[in-house]
Every structure is written in structure tokens, then in C-alpha cells.
Amino acid sequence: QNIEHYNPHLTALSQGRGNVLDRKGPERARRYRFADPLMEPYVMLRGIEAGRIIPATMFEADAAHPDDDSNANERLF
């Protein structure tokens, strides 16, 4: 899917709806992360429960880049 479809949702989650996400960076290169670190596992568990996340494939993106630990202390998406 196109990233344009996600932008309104990311903006809503970072400005309204309880400020779930923190936003960093300039307009065309924004990075988002959870404002509360406990929100990430909550969202993952809810996604698994709803069948939108498959546990066996959750960490495939991390496994694809094992040598890239440049932002290991700060998980941004």
C-alpha cells in the first residue's frame, strides 16, 4: 500500500486520540514512536488477538537486517 494512506492515521495518533505516538523530524522525513513504551506490546497483543499480526512473522523485518543496530536503543517506525 501507499504511504499516503497511513499519514492521516499517524497524524491522528500523534496529535489527537491521546497522543499515542511521538513525532520527530521534518515534514517529509517524519519518524514516529510510541509515547508510552508499554503501548507497543499492548498493540502487538491486540493485533495478534484480532488476527492481524501473525506471531511467527513478527520479527522478520528485524531478522532481515541483523547487522543494523544503529538505532538499537530507539525503535522508530
Side-chain angles (χ1 to χ4, degrees):
Q1 294 196 5
N2 294 334
I3 193 70
E4 308 80 62
H5 297 287
Y6 293 99
N7 283 336
H9 300 292
L10 292 171
T11 300
L13 288 169
S14 64
Q15 293 179 348
R17 293 187 178 173
N19 296 326
V20 175
L21 299 176
D22 283 335
R23 216 167 46 168
K24 286 186 177 181
E27 185 175 338
R28 302 289 289 169
R30 290 227 168 96
R31 307 278 287 183
Y32 296 87
R33 69 175 177 178
F34 288 101
D36 179 354
L38 293 176
M39 186 58 76
E40 183 176 3
Y42 173 77
V43 169
M44 297 292 258
L45 290 172
R46 291 295 303 249
I48 292 168
E49 180 182 55
R52 294 181 179 180
I53 297 175
I54 301 167
T57 61
M58 282 175 45
F59 301 104
E60 285 181 357
D62 292 337
H65 305 286
D67 297 329
D68 182 21
D69 60 343
S70 58
N71 288 327
N73 293 331
E74 185 175 306
R75 292 188 65 177
L76 297 172
F77 57 96

